[in-house]
Amino acid sequence: MKNHIYKLIEITGTSTISSEDAVVRALKRAHKSIRNLAWFEVKETRGSIAKGKVLHWQVTLKVGFTLEG
Amino acid sequence: MKNHIYKLIEITGTSTISSEDAVVRALKRAHKSIRNLAWFEVKETRGSIAKGKVLHWQVTLKVGFTLEG
Amino acid sequence: MKNHIYKLIEITGTSTISSEDAVVRALKRAHKSIRNLAWFEVKETRGSIAKGKVLHWQVTLKVGFTLEG
Amino acid sequence: MKNHIYKLIEITGTSTISSEDAVVRALKRAHKSIRNLAWFEVKETRGSIAKGKVLHWQVTLKVGFTLEG
Amino acid sequence: MKNHIYKLIEITGTSTISSEDAVVRALKRAHKSIRNLAWFEVKETRGSIAKGKVLHWQVTLKVGFTLEG
Amino acid sequence: MKNHIYKLIEITGTSTISSEDAVVRALKRAHKSIRNLAWFEVKETRGSIAKGKVLHWQVTLKVGFTLEG
Amino acid sequence: MKNHIYKLIEITGTSTISSEDAVVRALKRAHKSIRNLAWFEVKETRGSIAKGKVLHWQVTLKVGFTLEG
Amino acid sequence: MKNHIYKLIEITGTSTISSEDAVVRALKRAHKSIRNLAWFEVKETRGSIAKGKVLHWQVTLKVGFTLEG
Amino acid sequence: MKNHIYKLIEITGTSTISSEDAVVRALKRAHKSIRNLAWFEVKETRGSIAKGKVLHWQVTLKVGFTLEG
Amino acid sequence: MKNHIYKLIEITGTSTISSEDAVVRALKRAHKSIRNLAWFEVKETRGSIAKGKVLHWQVTLKVGFTLEG
Amino acid sequence: MKNHIYKLIEITGTSTISSEDAVVRALKRAHKSIRNLAWFEVKETRGSIAKGKVLHWQVTLKVGFTLEG
Amino acid sequence: MKNHIYKLIEITGTSTISSEDAVVRALKRAHKSIRNLAWFEVKETRGSIAKGKVLHWQVTLKVGFTLEG
């Protein structure tokens, strides 16, 4: 590992299926515009409710990626 | 969206299956007595252990619902 | 319940499958050396990323167990 | 002051005017069903946005009130 | 233990005697209207002062109780 | 609501008039370069002082917006 | 800017008008005895309630000022 | 209650007897130099240990008092 | 004082008598296996409830002790 | 000082030399693409270890910079 | 150690050299007016930036000192 | 990287020289009894003071290491 510099961003993924699917979808979308995603941390897990059931899982991640030289 | 007022309560759901099932069960129970559940936030995920395995997942939620006029 | 004394330790489980599997694996490993695991609390959920996908889920737990008299 | 017992609840007021109006509206609504509101603390100030302007201010309060004997 | 659902409320007990008496009094009052109080957590210990002495201990508790089916 | 992905950024607005004007100005500026601003949360309210009076209100916001497909 | 040393104090302003007026009044009072007030940060916004209306806004500030040589 | 301004200070009381005695002693000492002590909040409870027993209880308080006009 | 290195552990003491007795019992038990306990900090005070009364006080401590060279 | 708007980003600098060198390197890299860096705050100091020695210091900063008109 | 009472204050030291120099300078200045400084804790490390380099390190300390009888 | 399990411990290093030397000394001591130290995080930086100068830097670290199968 060289002396890398990383940038951290926050994104929120949503999913009707599960909280983990919300994470997966958020990373997939971030990967479209940023190539070097390295790690993430779950900051918040929320959701919207309809008729007593989870409508959307909403998971906010902090994601770190390598900054090119 | 009108100028709604919301109330927030805290409930803990438990499940032998998964942390998400604990969320689902907590919301299902709250829905019995409160009609307008709108959103939730996971505050804490704990569990009891027996013989090195998760016995009960215990997930504490903050849940918001609309107060009628 | 008698006047037990408990000790709390922190462990991080990792899994390529899911965050819950990371919890299960961490408890399974701790159970090898400590017999009376009683409860846990999830402190942090992180992960490493490769090509925009979760490579390892990393879940840090605080785990409590009974100290023998 | 006698040895009172207080209960604390959380409510979110919303307003298109200002964050203080959101507080005022939340207390007004709570006062309808609870007579002895005694104090509040602002826990969170959020808002929704439309076309770069604040649509609704959303202020979450913890409110304390005296429990009757 | 079955798959119980719990509700959590916050109450503040006050006492001229001690912080622990404030806890005892808060629980005694809550027990009047709620039968299944199960556990509590101390969230804040404050007090009012008169002539350099503690006038009232004020202890805020989060209290959990079982929700009937 | 579809399965949107959101990005969150932090901005600090300043104003000589009021803390709410600082929020309004920050959102107005952000709206210049980002079209889909959806919600904000106040993270910090500070200010500079001159001769015992508030010179600038400085309000830091976390702002969320929708990421296009 | 030289290598200044600052001291930080905490004060609570109160106002029947608004939370911002409470800030203004707190700074005005502090300025009577301390000349070099430089910045503040809002730490807590609370209030007392009478008949469902805000009686006093209570805003606690951390205030920094330059220590002379 | 008029529009008072309060100052908040932090003090640590110590006692070989109990944590509450540490609070009482801290307030007694503060009262020597400050007349209008109004309220306190317990911020931290620590202690030193000798031979497995508490040697000194150390309780840190935030204490508020009225600033004269 | 030499350049000591300390280790910190977390233990939870329980007591049917008082929160301070829970602290005392936790330290007494820790002293059985660790000789150089030096200080503690109270991290959490909880309890179980039976019939509206405290059944067990549960106090979690962080305890520091000197590591031998 | 005019009514500036600032943006805040998070970056992690790494260094084999010291935590301060990690800060310096992070700012140097950020300066390449952002001209108006104004202030920073240290959010986290971590490191990787090899054979009981610090391999890389990893310091995460929040950095603020002026947004052009 | 007798049953001392301590007061805690907050000061911010600044330095163009290093964060540790900022600590040293803050303590040196505080020592001018307070004789019994006993311990400190670093609360915040910030800095101002000019041309991508640290201009001033700004370190905020909580400092405890013994109150005379 | 396999599906490792990590344990986290807390240690406090002390040094008369610098905060970084306190980190280095803490890790050096931990390495004597634990072979697979992998990473650390600085949790707290404190110090003792004598005559207005830092006597001992006291840095508390959370340290993670690999648990053997």
Side-chain angles (χ1 to χ4, degrees):
Chain A
M1 189 172 102
K2 283 174 291 181
N3 280 354
H4 288 309
I5 309 294
Y6 302 89
K7 188 172 177 187
L8 294 88
I9 57 169
E10 279 198 348
I11 48 176
T12 302
T14 62
S15 166
T16 54
I17 298 170
S18 71
S19 63
E20 290 196 0
D21 186 51
V23 174
V24 167
R25 294 171 65 89
L27 295 180
K28 189 178 173 186
R29 175 60 186 79
H31 183 58
K32 278 193 190 175
S33 38
I34 303 169
R35 283 293 123 181
N36 303 305
L37 301 178
W39 84 90
F40 69 93
E41 181 182 347
V42 175
K43 298 303 286 179
E44 202 176 55
T45 302
R46 303 172 72 112
S48 56
I49 306 171
K51 299 183 183 166
K53 292 183 182 166
V54 181
L55 188 61
H56 281 91
W57 292 88
Q58 303 157 336
V59 184
T60 299
L61 308 175
K62 188 164 287 193
V63 185
F65 59 93
T66 319
L67 282 175
E68 306 290 343
Chain B
M1 186 173 101
K2 284 175 290 182
N3 280 354
H4 287 309
I5 310 294
Y6 302 88
K7 187 172 177 188
L8 293 88
I9 57 168
E10 279 198 350
I11 48 176
T12 303
T14 62
S15 165
T16 53
I17 298 170
S18 70
S19 63
E20 290 195 1
D21 186 51
V23 173
V24 168
R25 296 170 63 90
L27 295 181
K28 189 179 173 186
R29 174 61 185 81
H31 183 57
K32 278 193 189 176
S33 39
I34 304 169
R35 281 296 121 181
N36 303 306
L37 301 178
W39 85 89
F40 69 92
E41 181 184 346
V42 175
K43 299 303 286 180
E44 202 177 57
T45 302
R46 304 172 70 112
S48 58
I49 306 170
K51 298 185 184 165
K53 294 184 182 164
V54 180
L55 188 61
H56 281 89
W57 292 89
Q58 302 158 337
V59 183
T60 298
L61 308 174
K62 188 163 287 192
V63 185
F65 59 93
T66 319
L67 281 176
E68 306 288 344
Chain C
M1 186 172 101
K2 283 174 289 181
N3 280 355
H4 287 308
I5 309 294
Y6 301 88
K7 188 171 177 187
L8 294 87
I9 57 168
E10 279 197 350
I11 48 177
T12 301
T14 63
S15 165
T16 53
I17 299 171
S18 71
S19 63
E20 290 195 2
D21 186 51
V23 173
V24 168
R25 295 171 64 90
L27 294 181
K28 188 179 173 187
R29 175 60 186 79
H31 182 58
K32 277 194 192 178
S33 39
I34 302 169
R35 283 293 124 181
N36 303 305
L37 301 178
W39 85 89
F40 69 93
E41 182 183 346
V42 174
K43 300 302 286 180
E44 203 177 55
T45 301
R46 304 172 72 112
S48 57
I49 307 172
K51 299 182 183 168
K53 292 185 181 165
V54 181
L55 188 63
H56 282 90
W57 291 89
Q58 303 158 336
V59 184
T60 298
L61 308 174
K62 189 164 285 193
V63 185
F65 58 92
T66 320
L67 282 176
E68 306 290 343
Chain D
M1 187 172 100
K2 282 174 291 180
N3 280 352
H4 288 308
I5 309 294
Y6 302 89
K7 189 173 176 186
L8 295 88
I9 57 168
E10 279 198 350
I11 48 177
T12 302
T14 63
S15 164
T16 53
I17 298 167
S18 70
S19 62
E20 291 196 359
D21 186 51
V23 173
V24 168
R25 296 171 62 90
L27 294 181
K28 190 179 173 186
R29 174 61 186 79
H31 183 58
K32 278 194 190 175
S33 38
I34 303 169
R35 281 295 122 180
N36 302 306
L37 300 178
W39 85 90
F40 69 93
E41 180 183 348
V42 175
K43 299 303 286 180
E44 201 177 58
T45 302
R46 302 171 73 111
S48 57
I49 308 170
K51 298 180 185 171
K53 291 182 182 167
V54 181
L55 187 63
H56 282 90
W57 292 88
Q58 303 157 337
V59 183
T60 299
L61 307 175
K62 190 165 284 192
V63 185
F65 59 93
T66 318
L67 281 175
E68 305 290 342
Chain E
M1 188 171 102
K2 282 173 290 179
N3 280 353
H4 288 309
I5 309 294
Y6 302 88
K7 190 174 175 186
L8 293 88
I9 57 169
E10 280 199 349
I11 48 178
T12 302
T14 62
S15 165
T16 53
I17 299 169
S18 70
S19 63
E20 289 195 0
D21 186 51
V23 173
V24 168
R25 296 172 64 90
L27 294 182
K28 189 179 174 187
R29 175 60 187 79
H31 182 59
K32 277 194 190 175
S33 38
I34 302 170
R35 281 295 123 180
N36 303 305
L37 300 178
W39 86 88
F40 69 94
E41 181 182 347
V42 175
K43 300 302 287 180
E44 202 176 58
T45 301
R46 302 172 72 113
S48 58
I49 307 170
K51 296 181 184 170
K53 292 182 182 167
V54 181
L55 189 60
H56 281 90
W57 292 89
Q58 302 158 337
V59 184
T60 298
L61 307 176
K62 189 163 286 193
V63 185
F65 59 93
T66 318
L67 281 176
E68 305 290 342
Chain F
M1 189 173 98
K2 282 173 291 179
N3 280 354
H4 288 309
I5 309 294
Y6 302 89
K7 189 173 176 186
L8 294 88
I9 57 168
E10 280 198 350
I11 48 178
T12 302
T14 63
S15 166
T16 53
I17 298 169
S18 70
S19 63
E20 289 195 0
D21 186 51
V23 173
V24 168
R25 296 171 62 89
L27 295 181
K28 189 179 174 187
R29 175 60 186 80
H31 182 60
K32 276 194 192 176
S33 38
I34 303 170
R35 281 296 125 180
N36 303 305
L37 299 179
W39 86 89
F40 69 93
E41 181 184 346
V42 175
K43 300 303 287 180
E44 202 177 58
T45 301
R46 304 171 70 112
S48 58
I49 307 170
K51 297 182 184 170
K53 292 182 181 167
V54 180
L55 189 60
H56 281 89
W57 292 88
Q58 302 157 337
V59 184
T60 299
L61 308 175
K62 189 165 284 193
V63 185
F65 60 93
T66 318
L67 282 177
E68 305 290 343
Chain G
M1 188 172 101
K2 282 174 291 180
N3 281 352
H4 287 308
I5 309 293
Y6 302 89
K7 188 174 177 186
L8 293 89
I9 57 168
E10 279 198 350
I11 48 177
T12 302
T14 62
S15 165
T16 54
I17 299 168
S18 70
S19 62
E20 289 195 0
D21 186 51
V23 173
V24 168
R25 295 172 62 89
L27 295 182
K28 189 180 174 185
R29 174 60 187 79
H31 181 60
K32 278 193 190 177
S33 38
I34 303 169
R35 281 296 122 181
N36 303 305
L37 300 178
W39 86 89
F40 69 94
E41 181 183 346
V42 175
K43 300 302 286 179
E44 202 177 56
T45 301
R46 303 172 70 113
S48 58
I49 307 170
K51 298 182 184 169
K53 291 182 183 166
V54 180
L55 189 61
H56 281 90
W57 292 88
Q58 302 158 338
V59 184
T60 299
L61 307 175
K62 189 163 286 193
V63 185
F65 59 94
T66 318
L67 282 176
E68 307 288 344
Chain H
M1 187 172 102
K2 281 174 292 181
N3 280 354
H4 287 308
I5 310 293
Y6 302 88
K7 189 173 176 186
L8 293 89
I9 56 168
E10 279 198 350
I11 47 176
T12 302
T14 62
S15 166
T16 53
I17 298 170
S18 70
S19 63
E20 290 196 359
D21 186 51
V23 174
V24 168
R25 295 171 64 90
L27 295 181
K28 189 180 175 186
R29 175 61 186 79
H31 182 59
K32 278 194 189 175
S33 38
I34 304 169
R35 281 295 123 182
N36 302 307
L37 300 179
W39 85 89
F40 69 93
E41 180 184 347
V42 175
K43 299 303 286 179
E44 202 177 58
T45 302
R46 300 172 71 113
S48 58
I49 307 170
K51 297 181 185 169
K53 292 183 181 165
V54 181
L55 188 62
H56 281 90
W57 292 88
Q58 302 158 339
V59 184
T60 299
L61 307 175
K62 188 163 286 192
V63 185
F65 59 92
T66 319
L67 281 176
E68 307 289 343
Chain I
M1 188 173 99
K2 282 173 291 179
N3 280 353
H4 288 308
I5 309 293
Y6 302 89
K7 189 173 176 186
L8 294 88
I9 55 168
E10 279 198 350
I11 47 177
T12 303
T14 63
S15 165
T16 54
I17 298 169
S18 70
S19 63
E20 290 195 1
D21 186 50
V23 173
V24 167
R25 296 171 63 90
L27 295 182
K28 189 179 173 187
R29 173 61 185 79
H31 182 58
K32 276 193 191 178
S33 37
I34 304 168
R35 281 296 122 180
N36 302 307
L37 300 178
W39 86 89
F40 69 94
E41 181 182 348
V42 175
K43 299 303 286 180
E44 202 176 56
T45 301
R46 303 171 73 112
S48 57
I49 307 170
K51 298 180 183 169
K53 292 183 182 165
V54 181
L55 188 61
H56 281 89
W57 291 88
Q58 303 158 336
V59 184
T60 299
L61 308 175
K62 189 164 285 193
V63 185
F65 59 92
T66 319
L67 281 177
E68 306 290 341
Chain J
M1 188 173 102
K2 284 174 289 180
N3 280 352
H4 288 309
I5 310 293
Y6 302 89
K7 188 172 177 187
L8 294 88
I9 56 169
E10 279 198 349
I11 48 176
T12 302
T14 63
S15 165
T16 53
I17 298 168
S18 71
S19 63
E20 291 195 0
D21 185 51
V23 173
V24 168
R25 296 172 62 89
L27 295 180
K28 189 178 172 187
R29 175 61 186 79
H31 183 59
K32 278 193 189 175
S33 39
I34 303 169
R35 280 296 122 182
N36 302 306
L37 300 178
W39 86 90
F40 69 94
E41 180 183 347
V42 175
K43 300 302 286 180
E44 203 176 56
T45 302
R46 303 171 72 112
S48 58
I49 307 170
K51 298 183 184 169
K53 293 185 181 163
V54 181
L55 188 61
H56 282 89
W57 292 89
Q58 303 158 337
V59 184
T60 299
L61 308 175
K62 188 165 285 192
V63 185
F65 59 93
T66 319
L67 281 176
E68 305 290 341
Chain K
M1 188 173 101
K2 282 174 291 180
N3 281 353
H4 288 309
I5 310 293
Y6 301 88
K7 189 173 177 187
L8 293 88
I9 57 169
E10 279 198 350
I11 48 177
T12 301
T14 63
S15 165
T16 53
I17 299 169
S18 70
S19 63
E20 289 195 1
D21 186 51
V23 173
V24 168
R25 295 171 63 90
L27 295 181
K28 190 179 174 187
R29 175 59 186 81
H31 182 59
K32 278 194 189 175
S33 39
I34 304 169
R35 281 295 123 182
N36 303 305
L37 300 179
W39 85 89
F40 69 94
E41 181 184 347
V42 175
K43 300 301 287 180
E44 203 176 56
T45 302
R46 301 172 72 112
S48 58
I49 307 171
K51 298 183 183 167
K53 293 185 182 165
V54 181
L55 188 61
H56 281 90
W57 292 89
Q58 302 158 338
V59 184
T60 299
L61 307 175
K62 189 163 285 191
V63 185
F65 59 92
T66 318
L67 283 176
E68 305 289 342
Chain L
M1 188 172 101
K2 283 174 290 179
N3 280 354
H4 287 310
I5 310 294
Y6 301 88
K7 189 174 177 187
L8 294 87
I9 57 169
E10 281 198 349
I11 48 178
T12 302
T14 63
S15 165
T16 53
I17 299 168
S18 71
S19 63
E20 289 195 1
D21 185 51
V23 173
V24 168
R25 296 172 62 91
L27 294 182
K28 189 179 173 185
R29 175 60 186 81
H31 182 59
K32 276 195 192 176
S33 38
I34 303 170
R35 281 295 125 180
N36 303 305
L37 301 178
W39 85 89
F40 70 93
E41 181 183 347
V42 174
K43 300 302 287 181
E44 203 178 54
T45 301
R46 304 172 71 113
S48 58
I49 307 170
K51 298 182 183 169
K53 291 183 182 166
V54 181
L55 189 60
H56 281 90
W57 292 89
Q58 302 157 336
V59 183
T60 299
L61 308 176
K62 189 164 285 193
V63 185
F65 59 93
T66 319
L67 281 177
E68 305 289 343

